[in-house]
Amino acid sequence: MDVTTDAAAPWLVVGLGNPGPEYAGNRHNVGFMVADLLAERISGRFKRAGKAQAQVVEGRIGPPGPANRRVVLAKPTSFMNLSGGPVNALREFYKVPVARVVAVHDELDIEYGTLRLKLGGGDNGHNGLKSMTKAFGPGYHRVRFGIGRPPGRMPVADYVLRDFSSAERKELDYFVDRAADAVECLVLDGLERAQGTYNS
């Protein structure tokens, strides 16, 4: 899992979500929101990635010079529960070690807006992670964006496929911005520094 094994390899940062405008504001699509902001920061526009079921932006993050890092930002265009195939196709095409893959995703068991970064582990019932782990193993990084548990007896599937509430949307831009900062810190400074700064 040593991310220094291939200094030339890019990082593959994957925002998880469902394709299509009807899903764009859903809690389940917060990974797409973070990926979109990261693309904006590097002045990139998502484009279709050859034969892979994904859209990608290639670029560099960090200051000019040797300290910056090559990144491929990706949004699978398959549905969430089929994310693993497209992500693995990109990983193989760009020759990205598993430990340089970063999944940005919603997390039910963390309160809204809270971030947790980690390397490896289980999928906690998240279908996007489940698919990725099945495709190439669990040894990738995760940036977990808390969305909290559904209220009352609302089914989880209904909750994650609903848009953020009006109260949540007041802070959503701030939290998405912070998650993008966390991804950049992870790629540039490593997991330990990013955890120390952004795990709350």
Side-chain angles (χ1 to χ4, degrees):
M1 288 190 187
D2 182 5
V3 297
T4 63
T5 49
D6 184 356
W11 286 75
L12 176 59
V13 177
V14 182
L16 292 179
N18 286 309
E22 67 271 34
Y23 298 105
N26 289 180
R27 293 181 178 92
H28 222 20
N29 271 44
V30 72
F32 275 15
M33 298 174 196
V34 176
D36 285 337
L37 179 57
L38 287 165
E40 191 178 306
R41 289 182 179 184
I42 63 172
S43 302
R45 296 184 65 176
F46 279 98
K47 60 185 180 182
R48 187 170 176 179
K51 295 179 180 179
Q53 283 185 287
Q55 293 183 317
V56 298
V57 173
E58 297 178 51
R60 305 188 82 90
I61 64 171
N68 65 25
R69 297 285 183 271
R70 276 181 68 208
V71 293
V72 178
L73 307 175
K75 297 191 295 184
T77 54
S78 63
F79 281 94
M80 176 75 84
N81 60 350
L82 299 173
S83 299
V87 175
N88 200 39
L90 292 174
R91 194 185 68 77
E92 291 179 345
F93 179 78
Y94 288 102
K95 298 178 172 58
V96 178
V98 172
R100 282 199 180 187
V101 176
V102 182
V104 185
H105 64 92
D106 58 305
E107 179 63 66
L108 285 161
D109 288 334
I110 303 173
E111 66 182 56
Y112 174 60
T114 298
L115 296 177
R116 293 275 194 279
L117 287 78
K118 70 174 187 174
L119 175 63
D123 56 58
N124 203 25
H126 192 288
N127 288 330
L129 299 182
K130 194 175 295 185
S131 181
M132 287 176 60
T133 296
K134 185 177 179 182
F136 51 85
Y140 52 93
H141 287 85
R142 300 103 191 276
V143 175
R144 304 155 72 202
F145 186 110
I147 60 170
R149 302 293 304 185
R153 297 187 178 183
M154 182 188 292
V156 165
D158 291 348
Y159 178 70
V160 299
L161 294 177
R162 287 192 181 181
D163 288 0
F164 287 99
S165 70
S166 56
E168 288 169 333
R169 284 198 297 272
K170 291 176 182 175
E171 295 184 291
L172 182 59
D173 287 349
Y174 168 77
F175 289 139
V176 168
D177 191 70
R178 191 165 183 271
D181 289 347
V183 171
E184 291 183 346
C185 184
L186 169 61
V187 170
L188 291 169
D189 301 320
L191 179 62
E192 191 173 336
R193 172 71 65 85
Q195 287 175 324
T197 305
Y198 293 99
N199 278 15
S200 50

CSV table of all heavy atoms in Angstrom, one decimal, residues 74-138:
chain,number,residue,atom,x,y,z
A,74,ALA,N,-12.5,11.7,-11.7
A,74,ALA,CA,-13.5,10.9,-12.4
A,74,ALA,C,-14.8,10.9,-11.8
A,74,ALA,O,-15.0,10.9,-10.6
A,74,ALA,CB,-12.9,9.4,-12.5
A,75,LYS,N,-15.8,10.8,-12.7
A,75,LYS,CA,-17.2,10.5,-12.2
A,75,LYS,C,-17.8,9.4,-13.1
A,75,LYS,O,-17.9,9.5,-14.3
A,75,LYS,CB,-18.1,11.8,-12.5
A,75,LYS,CG,-17.7,13.0,-11.7
A,75,LYS,CD,-18.7,14.1,-11.7
A,75,LYS,CE,-18.9,14.7,-13.1
A,75,LYS,NZ,-19.8,15.8,-13.1
A,76,PRO,N,-18.0,8.2,-12.5
A,76,PRO,CA,-18.5,7.1,-13.3
A,76,PRO,C,-19.9,7.5,-13.9
A,76,PRO,O,-20.7,8.2,-13.2
A,76,PRO,CB,-18.7,6.0,-12.3
A,76,PRO,CG,-17.7,6.3,-11.2
A,76,PRO,CD,-17.7,7.8,-11.1
A,77,THR,N,-20.2,7.0,-15.1
A,77,THR,CA,-21.5,7.3,-15.7
A,77,THR,C,-22.4,6.0,-15.6
A,77,THR,O,-23.5,6.0,-16.2
A,77,THR,CB,-21.3,7.8,-17.1
A,77,THR,OG1,-20.5,6.8,-17.9
A,77,THR,CG2,-20.7,9.1,-17.2
A,78,SER,N,-21.9,5.0,-15.0
A,78,SER,CA,-22.7,3.9,-14.6
A,78,SER,C,-23.5,4.3,-13.4
A,78,SER,O,-23.2,5.4,-12.8
A,78,SER,CB,-21.9,2.7,-14.3
A,78,SER,OG,-21.1,2.9,-13.1
A,79,PHE,N,-24.4,3.5,-12.9
A,79,PHE,CA,-25.1,3.8,-11.7
A,79,PHE,C,-24.2,3.4,-10.5
A,79,PHE,O,-23.2,2.7,-10.7
A,79,PHE,CB,-26.5,3.1,-11.6
A,79,PHE,CG,-27.5,3.9,-12.4
A,79,PHE,CD1,-27.8,3.5,-13.7
A,79,PHE,CD2,-28.2,5.0,-11.8
A,79,PHE,CE1,-28.7,4.2,-14.4
A,79,PHE,CE2,-29.1,5.7,-12.6
A,79,PHE,CZ,-29.4,5.3,-13.9
A,80,MET,N,-24.5,4.0,-9.4
A,80,MET,CA,-23.6,3.8,-8.2
A,80,MET,C,-23.2,2.4,-7.9
A,80,MET,O,-22.0,2.1,-7.7
A,80,MET,CB,-24.4,4.4,-7.0
A,80,MET,CG,-23.7,4.2,-5.6
A,80,MET,SD,-22.3,5.4,-5.4
A,80,MET,CE,-23.2,6.8,-4.8
A,81,ASN,N,-24.2,1.5,-8.0
A,81,ASN,CA,-23.8,0.1,-7.6
A,81,ASN,C,-23.0,-0.7,-8.6
A,81,ASN,O,-22.6,-1.8,-8.4
A,81,ASN,CB,-25.1,-0.7,-7.3
A,81,ASN,CG,-26.1,-0.8,-8.5
A,81,ASN,OD1,-25.9,-0.1,-9.5
A,81,ASN,ND2,-27.1,-1.6,-8.4
A,82,LEU,N,-22.7,0.0,-9.8
A,82,LEU,CA,-21.8,-0.6,-10.8
A,82,LEU,C,-20.5,0.2,-11.0
A,82,LEU,O,-19.8,0.1,-12.0
A,82,LEU,CB,-22.5,-0.6,-12.1
A,82,LEU,CG,-23.8,-1.5,-12.1
A,82,LEU,CD1,-24.6,-1.4,-13.5
A,82,LEU,CD2,-23.5,-3.0,-11.9
A,83,SER,N,-20.1,1.0,-10.0
A,83,SER,CA,-19.0,1.9,-10.1
A,83,SER,C,-17.7,1.2,-10.3
A,83,SER,O,-16.7,1.7,-10.9
A,83,SER,CB,-18.9,2.8,-8.8
A,83,SER,OG,-20.0,3.6,-8.7
A,84,GLY,N,-17.5,0.0,-9.7
A,84,GLY,CA,-16.2,-0.7,-9.7
A,84,GLY,C,-15.7,-0.9,-11.1
A,84,GLY,O,-14.4,-0.7,-11.3
A,85,GLY,N,-16.5,-1.3,-12.0
A,85,GLY,CA,-16.0,-1.6,-13.4
A,85,GLY,C,-15.3,-0.4,-14.1
A,85,GLY,O,-14.2,-0.4,-14.5
A,86,PRO,N,-16.1,0.7,-14.1
A,86,PRO,CA,-15.5,1.9,-14.7
A,86,PRO,C,-14.3,2.4,-14.0
A,86,PRO,O,-13.3,2.8,-14.6
A,86,PRO,CB,-16.7,2.9,-14.6
A,86,PRO,CG,-17.9,2.1,-14.6
A,86,PRO,CD,-17.5,0.9,-13.9
A,87,VAL,N,-14.3,2.4,-12.7
A,87,VAL,CA,-13.1,2.9,-11.9
A,87,VAL,C,-11.9,2.0,-12.2
A,87,VAL,O,-10.8,2.5,-12.4
A,87,VAL,CB,-13.5,3.0,-10.4
A,87,VAL,CG1,-12.2,3.4,-9.6
A,87,VAL,CG2,-14.6,4.0,-10.1
A,88,ASN,N,-12.1,0.7,-12.2
A,88,ASN,CA,-11.0,-0.2,-12.5
A,88,ASN,C,-10.5,0.0,-13.9
A,88,ASN,O,-9.2,-0.1,-14.1
A,88,ASN,CB,-11.4,-1.6,-12.2
A,88,ASN,CG,-10.2,-2.5,-12.0
A,88,ASN,OD1,-9.3,-2.2,-11.3
A,88,ASN,ND2,-10.2,-3.7,-12.5
A,89,ALA,N,-11.3,0.2,-14.8
A,89,ALA,CA,-10.9,0.5,-16.2
A,89,ALA,C,-10.0,1.7,-16.3
A,89,ALA,O,-8.9,1.7,-16.9
A,89,ALA,CB,-12.1,0.6,-17.1
A,90,LEU,N,-10.4,2.8,-15.5
A,90,LEU,CA,-9.6,4.0,-15.5
A,90,LEU,C,-8.3,3.7,-14.8
A,90,LEU,O,-7.2,4.2,-15.2
A,90,LEU,CB,-10.3,5.1,-14.8
A,90,LEU,CG,-11.6,5.6,-15.5
A,90,LEU,CD1,-12.3,6.6,-14.6
A,90,LEU,CD2,-11.2,6.3,-16.8
A,91,ARG,N,-8.3,3.0,-13.7
A,91,ARG,CA,-7.2,2.7,-12.9
A,91,ARG,C,-6.1,1.9,-13.7
A,91,ARG,O,-4.9,2.2,-13.7
A,91,ARG,CB,-7.6,1.8,-11.7
A,91,ARG,CG,-6.5,1.7,-10.6
A,91,ARG,CD,-6.9,0.8,-9.5
A,91,ARG,NE,-7.0,-0.6,-10.0
A,91,ARG,CZ,-6.0,-1.4,-10.1
A,91,ARG,NH1,-4.7,-1.0,-9.9
A,91,ARG,NH2,-6.1,-2.7,-10.5
A,92,GLU,N,-6.6,1.0,-14.5
A,92,GLU,CA,-5.7,0.2,-15.4
A,92,GLU,C,-5.1,1.1,-16.5
A,92,GLU,O,-4.0,1.0,-16.9
A,92,GLU,CB,-6.4,-1.0,-15.9
A,92,GLU,CG,-6.6,-2.1,-14.8
A,92,GLU,CD,-7.4,-3.3,-15.3
A,92,GLU,OE1,-7.9,-3.3,-16.4
A,92,GLU,OE2,-7.4,-4.3,-14.5
A,93,PHE,N,-6.0,1.9,-17.1
A,93,PHE,CA,-5.6,2.7,-18.2
A,93,PHE,C,-4.5,3.7,-17.8
A,93,PHE,O,-3.5,3.9,-18.5
A,93,PHE,CB,-6.8,3.5,-18.8
A,93,PHE,CG,-6.4,4.4,-20.0
A,93,PHE,CD1,-6.2,3.9,-21.2
A,93,PHE,CD2,-6.3,5.7,-19.7
A,93,PHE,CE1,-5.9,4.7,-22.3
A,93,PHE,CE2,-6.0,6.6,-20.8
A,93,PHE,CZ,-5.8,6.1,-22.1
A,94,TYR,N,-4.7,4.3,-16.6
A,94,TYR,CA,-3.7,5.3,-16.2
A,94,TYR,C,-2.6,4.8,-15.3
A,94,TYR,O,-1.8,5.5,-14.8
A,94,TYR,CB,-4.5,6.4,-15.4
A,94,TYR,CG,-5.3,7.3,-16.2
A,94,TYR,CD1,-6.7,7.2,-16.3
A,94,TYR,CD2,-4.7,8.4,-17.0
A,94,TYR,CE1,-7.5,8.0,-17.1
A,94,TYR,CE2,-5.5,9.2,-17.8
A,94,TYR,CZ,-6.9,9.0,-17.8
A,94,TYR,OH,-7.7,9.9,-18.6
A,95,LYS,N,-2.7,3.4,-15.1
A,95,LYS,CA,-1.6,2.7,-14.3
A,95,LYS,C,-1.5,3.3,-12.9
A,95,LYS,O,-0.4,3.6,-12.4
A,95,LYS,CB,-0.3,2.8,-15.0
A,95,LYS,CG,-0.3,2.1,-16.4
A,95,LYS,CD,1.1,2.2,-17.1
A,95,LYS,CE,1.1,1.3,-18.4
A,95,LYS,NZ,0.0,1.6,-19.4
A,96,VAL,N,-2.7,3.4,-12.3
A,96,VAL,CA,-2.8,3.9,-10.9
A,96,VAL,C,-2.7,2.8,-9.9
A,96,VAL,O,-3.6,1.9,-9.9
A,96,VAL,CB,-4.1,4.7,-10.7
A,96,VAL,CG1,-4.2,5.3,-9.3
A,96,VAL,CG2,-4.1,5.9,-11.8
A,97,PRO,N,-1.8,2.8,-8.9
A,97,PRO,CA,-1.8,1.8,-7.9
A,97,PRO,C,-3.1,2.0,-7.0
A,97,PRO,O,-3.6,3.1,-6.9
A,97,PRO,CB,-0.6,2.2,-7.0
A,97,PRO,CG,0.3,3.0,-7.9
A,97,PRO,CD,-0.6,3.7,-8.8
A,98,VAL,N,-3.6,0.9,-6.5
A,98,VAL,CA,-4.8,0.9,-5.7
A,98,VAL,C,-4.8,1.9,-4.6
A,98,VAL,O,-5.7,2.7,-4.3
A,98,VAL,CB,-5.2,-0.5,-5.2
A,98,VAL,CG1,-6.4,-0.4,-4.2
A,98,VAL,CG2,-5.5,-1.5,-6.3
A,99,ALA,N,-3.6,2.1,-4.0
A,99,ALA,CA,-3.4,3.0,-2.9
A,99,ALA,C,-3.4,4.5,-3.3
A,99,ALA,O,-3.4,5.4,-2.4
A,99,ALA,CB,-2.2,2.7,-2.1
A,100,ARG,N,-3.5,4.7,-4.6
A,100,ARG,CA,-3.6,6.1,-5.1
A,100,ARG,C,-5.0,6.4,-5.6
A,100,ARG,O,-5.2,7.4,-6.3
A,100,ARG,CB,-2.5,6.4,-6.1
A,100,ARG,CG,-1.2,6.7,-5.5
A,100,ARG,CD,-0.2,7.4,-6.5
A,100,ARG,NE,1.0,7.6,-5.8
A,100,ARG,CZ,2.0,8.3,-6.4
A,100,ARG,NH1,1.9,8.9,-7.5
A,100,ARG,NH2,3.2,8.5,-5.7
A,101,VAL,N,-5.9,5.5,-5.4
A,101,VAL,CA,-7.3,5.7,-5.7
A,101,VAL,C,-8.0,6.3,-4.5
A,101,VAL,O,-7.8,5.9,-3.3
A,101,VAL,CB,-8.0,4.4,-6.1
A,101,VAL,CG1,-9.5,4.7,-6.3
A,101,VAL,CG2,-7.3,3.8,-7.3
A,102,VAL,N,-8.7,7.4,-4.7
A,102,VAL,CA,-9.5,8.1,-3.6
A,102,VAL,C,-11.0,8.1,-4.0
A,102,VAL,O,-11.3,8.6,-5.0
A,102,VAL,CB,-9.0,9.5,-3.4
A,102,VAL,CG1,-9.8,10.2,-2.3
A,102,VAL,CG2,-7.5,9.6,-3.2
A,103,ALA,N,-11.8,7.5,-3.2
A,103,ALA,CA,-13.2,7.5,-3.4
A,103,ALA,C,-13.8,8.6,-2.5
A,103,ALA,O,-13.6,8.6,-1.3
A,103,ALA,CB,-13.9,6.2,-3.0
A,104,VAL,N,-14.6,9.5,-3.1
A,104,VAL,CA,-15.3,10.5,-2.3
A,104,VAL,C,-16.8,10.2,-2.3
A,104,VAL,O,-17.4,10.1,-3.4
A,104,VAL,CB,-15.1,11.9,-2.9
A,104,VAL,CG1,-15.7,13.0,-2.0
A,104,VAL,CG2,-13.6,12.2,-3.1
A,105,HIS,N,-17.3,10.0,-1.1
A,105,HIS,CA,-18.7,9.4,-1.1
A,105,HIS,C,-19.5,9.9,0.2
A,105,HIS,O,-18.9,10.3,1.2
A,105,HIS,CB,-18.6,7.9,-1.1
A,105,HIS,CG,-17.9,7.3,0.1
A,105,HIS,ND1,-18.6,6.9,1.2
A,105,HIS,CD2,-16.6,7.0,0.4
A,105,HIS,CE1,-17.7,6.4,2.1
A,105,HIS,NE2,-16.5,6.5,1.6
A,106,ASP,N,-20.8,9.7,0.1
A,106,ASP,CA,-21.6,10.0,1.2
A,106,ASP,C,-21.5,8.9,2.3
A,106,ASP,O,-21.2,7.7,1.9
A,106,ASP,CB,-23.1,10.1,0.8
A,106,ASP,CG,-23.6,8.8,0.0
A,106,ASP,OD1,-22.9,8.4,-0.9
A,106,ASP,OD2,-24.6,8.3,0.4
A,107,GLU,N,-21.7,9.2,3.5
A,107,GLU,CA,-21.6,8.3,4.6
A,107,GLU,C,-22.8,8.5,5.6
A,107,GLU,O,-22.9,9.5,6.3
A,107,GLU,CB,-20.3,8.5,5.3
A,107,GLU,CG,-20.0,7.6,6.5
A,107,GLU,CD,-20.0,6.1,6.1
A,107,GLU,OE1,-19.1,5.7,5.4
A,107,GLU,OE2,-20.9,5.4,6.6
A,108,LEU,N,-23.6,7.5,5.8
A,108,LEU,CA,-24.8,7.6,6.7
A,108,LEU,C,-24.4,7.7,8.1
A,108,LEU,O,-25.1,8.3,8.9
A,108,LEU,CB,-25.7,6.3,6.5
A,108,LEU,CG,-26.5,6.3,5.2
A,108,LEU,CD1,-26.9,4.8,4.9
A,108,LEU,CD2,-27.7,7.2,5.3
A,109,ASP,N,-23.4,7.0,8.6
A,109,ASP,CA,-23.1,6.9,10.0
A,109,ASP,C,-22.3,8.0,10.6
A,109,ASP,O,-21.7,7.9,11.6
A,109,ASP,CB,-22.4,5.5,10.3
A,109,ASP,CG,-23.4,4.4,10.2
A,109,ASP,OD1,-24.6,4.6,10.4
A,109,ASP,OD2,-22.9,3.2,9.9
A,110,ILE,N,-22.2,9.1,9.8
A,110,ILE,CA,-21.4,10.3,10.3
A,110,ILE,C,-22.4,11.5,10.1
A,110,ILE,O,-23.2,11.6,9.1
A,110,ILE,CB,-20.2,10.6,9.4
A,110,ILE,CG1,-19.2,9.3,9.4
A,110,ILE,CG2,-19.4,11.8,9.9
A,110,ILE,CD1,-18.1,9.5,8.5
A,111,GLU,N,-22.4,12.4,11.1
A,111,GLU,CA,-23.4,13.5,11.1
A,111,GLU,C,-23.1,14.4,9.9
A,111,GLU,O,-21.9,14.5,9.4
A,111,GLU,CB,-23.4,14.2,12.4
A,111,GLU,CG,-22.2,15.0,12.8
A,111,GLU,CD,-22.3,15.6,14.1
A,111,GLU,OE1,-22.6,14.9,15.1
A,111,GLU,OE2,-22.1,16.9,14.2
A,112,TYR,N,-24.1,15.1,9.5
A,112,TYR,CA,-24.0,15.9,8.3
A,112,TYR,C,-22.8,16.9,8.3
A,112,TYR,O,-22.6,17.6,9.3
A,112,TYR,CB,-25.3,16.7,8.1
A,112,TYR,CG,-25.3,17.7,7.0
A,112,TYR,CD1,-25.1,17.2,5.7
A,112,TYR,CD2,-25.5,19.0,7.2
A,112,TYR,CE1,-25.0,18.1,4.6
A,112,TYR,CE2,-25.4,19.9,6.1
A,112,TYR,CZ,-25.2,19.5,4.8
A,112,TYR,OH,-25.1,20.4,3.8
A,113,GLY,N,-22.1,16.9,7.2
A,113,GLY,CA,-21.0,17.8,7.0
A,113,GLY,C,-19.7,17.4,7.6
A,113,GLY,O,-18.6,18.0,7.4
A,114,THR,N,-19.7,16.3,8.5
A,114,THR,CA,-18.4,15.9,9.1
A,114,THR,C,-17.7,15.0,8.1
A,114,THR,O,-18.3,14.3,7.3
A,114,THR,CB,-18.8,15.0,10.4
A,114,THR,OG1,-19.4,15.9,11.3
A,114,THR,CG2,-17.5,14.5,11.0
A,115,LEU,N,-16.4,15.1,8.1
A,115,LEU,CA,-15.5,14.4,7.2
A,115,LEU,C,-14.7,13.3,8.0
A,115,LEU,O,-14.3,13.6,9.2
A,115,LEU,CB,-14.5,15.3,6.5
A,115,LEU,CG,-15.1,16.3,5.6
A,115,LEU,CD1,-13.9,17.2,5.0
A,115,LEU,CD2,-15.8,15.7,4.4
A,116,ARG,N,-14.5,12.2,7.4
A,116,ARG,CA,-13.6,11.2,7.9
A,116,ARG,C,-12.7,10.6,6.7
A,116,ARG,O,-13.3,10.2,5.7
A,116,ARG,CB,-14.3,10.0,8.5
A,116,ARG,CG,-15.1,10.4,9.8
A,116,ARG,CD,-14.2,10.3,11.0
A,116,ARG,NE,-15.0,10.3,12.2
A,116,ARG,CZ,-15.5,11.4,12.8
A,116,ARG,NH1,-15.3,12.6,12.2
A,116,ARG,NH2,-16.2,11.3,13.9
A,117,LEU,N,-11.4,10.6,6.9
A,117,LEU,CA,-10.6,10.1,5.8
A,117,LEU,C,-9.9,8.8,6.4
A,117,LEU,O,-9.6,8.7,7.5
A,117,LEU,CB,-9.5,11.1,5.5
A,117,LEU,CG,-9.9,12.3,4.6
A,117,LEU,CD1,-10.5,13.4,5.5
A,117,LEU,CD2,-8.7,12.9,3.9
A,118,LYS,N,-9.8,7.8,5.5
A,118,LYS,CA,-9.2,6.6,5.9
A,118,LYS,C,-8.7,5.8,4.7
A,118,LYS,O,-9.0,6.2,3.5
A,118,LYS,CB,-10.1,5.7,6.7
A,118,LYS,CG,-11.2,5.1,5.9
A,118,LYS,CD,-12.0,4.1,6.8
A,118,LYS,CE,-13.1,3.3,6.1
A,118,LYS,NZ,-13.7,2.3,6.9
A,119,LEU,N,-7.8,4.8,4.9
A,119,LEU,CA,-7.3,4.0,3.9
A,119,LEU,C,-7.8,2.6,4.2
A,119,LEU,O,-7.6,2.0,5.3
A,119,LEU,CB,-5.8,4.0,3.9
A,119,LEU,CG,-5.0,3.0,2.9
A,119,LEU,CD1,-5.4,3.3,1.5
A,119,LEU,CD2,-3.5,3.1,3.2
A,120,GLY,N,-8.4,2.0,3.2
A,120,GLY,CA,-8.9,0.6,3.3
A,120,GLY,C,-10.1,0.5,4.2
A,120,GLY,O,-10.7,1.5,4.6
A,121,GLY,N,-10.5,-0.7,4.6
A,121,GLY,CA,-11.7,-1.0,5.4
A,121,GLY,C,-12.9,-1.5,4.7
A,121,GLY,O,-12.8,-1.8,3.5
A,122,GLY,N,-14.0,-1.7,5.4
A,122,GLY,CA,-15.2,-2.2,4.8
A,122,GLY,C,-16.0,-1.2,4.0
A,122,GLY,O,-15.6,0.0,3.9
A,123,ASP,N,-17.1,-1.6,3.5
A,123,ASP,CA,-17.9,-0.7,2.7
A,123,ASP,C,-19.1,-0.1,3.4
A,123,ASP,O,-19.8,0.8,3.0
A,123,ASP,CB,-18.4,-1.4,1.4
A,123,ASP,CG,-19.2,-2.7,1.7
A,123,ASP,OD1,-20.2,-2.6,2.4
A,123,ASP,OD2,-18.8,-3.7,1.2
A,124,ASN,N,-19.4,-0.7,4.6
A,124,ASN,CA,-20.5,-0.2,5.5
A,124,ASN,C,-21.8,-0.1,4.8
A,124,ASN,O,-22.6,0.8,5.0
A,124,ASN,CB,-20.1,1.2,6.1
A,124,ASN,CG,-20.8,1.5,7.4
A,124,ASN,OD1,-21.3,0.6,8.1
A,124,ASN,ND2,-21.0,2.8,7.7
A,125,GLY,N,-22.0,-1.0,3.8
A,125,GLY,CA,-23.3,-1.1,3.1
A,125,GLY,C,-23.4,-0.1,2.0
A,125,GLY,O,-24.5,-0.1,1.3
A,126,HIS,N,-22.3,0.6,1.7
A,126,HIS,CA,-22.4,1.6,0.6
A,126,HIS,C,-22.1,0.8,-0.8
A,126,HIS,O,-21.1,0.2,-1.0
A,126,HIS,CB,-21.3,2.6,0.8
A,126,HIS,CG,-21.4,3.8,-0.1
A,126,HIS,ND1,-21.1,3.8,-1.5
A,126,HIS,CD2,-21.8,5.1,0.1
A,126,HIS,CE1,-21.3,4.9,-2.0
A,126,HIS,NE2,-21.8,5.8,-1.1
A,127,ASN,N,-23.1,0.9,-1.7
A,127,ASN,CA,-23.0,0.1,-2.9
A,127,ASN,C,-21.9,0.5,-3.8
A,127,ASN,O,-21.4,-0.3,-4.5
A,127,ASN,CB,-24.4,0.1,-3.6
A,127,ASN,CG,-25.5,-0.7,-2.9
A,127,ASN,OD1,-25.2,-1.6,-2.2
A,127,ASN,ND2,-26.7,-0.2,-3.0
A,128,GLY,N,-21.6,1.8,-3.8
A,128,GLY,CA,-20.5,2.2,-4.7
A,128,GLY,C,-19.1,1.6,-4.2
A,128,GLY,O,-18.3,1.1,-5.0
A,129,LEU,N,-18.9,1.7,-2.9
A,129,LEU,CA,-17.7,1.1,-2.3
A,129,LEU,C,-17.7,-0.4,-2.5
A,129,LEU,O,-16.6,-1.0,-2.8
A,129,LEU,CB,-17.6,1.5,-0.9
A,129,LEU,CG,-17.5,2.9,-0.5
A,129,LEU,CD1,-17.3,3.1,1.0
A,129,LEU,CD2,-16.3,3.6,-1.2
A,130,LYS,N,-18.8,-1.0,-2.3
A,130,LYS,CA,-18.9,-2.5,-2.5
A,130,LYS,C,-18.5,-2.9,-3.9
A,130,LYS,O,-17.7,-3.9,-4.0
A,130,LYS,CB,-20.4,-2.9,-2.2
A,130,LYS,CG,-20.6,-4.4,-2.0
A,130,LYS,CD,-22.0,-4.7,-1.6
A,130,LYS,CE,-22.4,-4.1,-0.3
A,130,LYS,NZ,-23.8,-4.4,0.1
A,131,SER,N,-18.9,-2.2,-4.9
A,131,SER,CA,-18.6,-2.5,-6.2
A,131,SER,C,-17.1,-2.2,-6.5
A,131,SER,O,-16.4,-3.0,-7.2
A,131,SER,CB,-19.4,-1.6,-7.2
A,131,SER,OG,-19.1,-1.9,-8.5
A,132,MET,N,-16.5,-1.1,-6.0
A,132,MET,CA,-15.1,-0.9,-6.2
A,132,MET,C,-14.3,-1.9,-5.5
A,132,MET,O,-13.3,-2.4,-6.1
A,132,MET,CB,-14.8,0.5,-5.6
A,132,MET,CG,-15.3,1.7,-6.5
A,132,MET,SD,-15.0,3.3,-5.7
A,132,MET,CE,-13.2,3.3,-5.6
A,133,THR,N,-14.6,-2.3,-4.3
A,133,THR,CA,-13.8,-3.3,-3.5
A,133,THR,C,-13.9,-4.7,-4.3
A,133,THR,O,-12.9,-5.4,-4.3
A,133,THR,CB,-14.4,-3.5,-2.1
A,133,THR,OG1,-14.2,-2.2,-1.4
A,133,THR,CG2,-13.7,-4.6,-1.3
A,134,LYS,N,-15.0,-5.0,-4.8
A,134,LYS,CA,-15.1,-6.2,-5.6
A,134,LYS,C,-14.3,-6.2,-6.8
A,134,LYS,O,-13.7,-7.2,-7.2
A,134,LYS,CB,-16.6,-6.5,-6.0
A,134,LYS,CG,-16.9,-7.8,-6.7
A,134,LYS,CD,-18.3,-8.0,-7.0
A,134,LYS,CE,-18.6,-9.3,-7.7
A,134,LYS,NZ,-20.0,-9.5,-8.1
A,135,ALA,N,-14.1,-5.0,-7.4
A,135,ALA,CA,-13.3,-4.9,-8.7
A,135,ALA,C,-11.8,-4.9,-8.4
A,135,ALA,O,-11.1,-5.5,-9.2
A,135,ALA,CB,-13.7,-3.6,-9.4
A,136,PHE,N,-11.3,-4.3,-7.3
A,136,PHE,CA,-9.9,-4.3,-7.2
A,136,PHE,C,-9.4,-4.3,-5.7
A,136,PHE,O,-8.2,-4.0,-5.5
A,136,PHE,CB,-9.3,-3.1,-7.9
A,136,PHE,CG,-9.9,-1.7,-7.6
A,136,PHE,CD1,-9.5,-1.0,-6.6
A,136,PHE,CD2,-10.9,-1.2,-8.5
A,136,PHE,CE1,-10.1,0.2,-6.3
A,136,PHE,CE2,-11.5,0.0,-8.2
A,136,PHE,CZ,-11.1,0.7,-7.1
A,137,GLY,N,-10.2,-4.7,-4.8
A,137,GLY,CA,-9.8,-4.8,-3.4
A,137,GLY,C,-10.1,-3.6,-2.6
A,137,GLY,O,-10.4,-2.5,-3.2
A,138,PRO,N,-9.9,-3.7,-1.3
A,138,PRO,CA,-10.3,-2.6,-0.4
A,138,PRO,C,-9.2,-1.6,-0.1
A,138,PRO,O,-9.4,-0.6,0.7
A,138,PRO,CB,-10.6,-3.3,0.9
A,138,PRO,CG,-9.7,-4.5,0.9
A,138,PRO,CD,-9.5,-4.9,-0.5
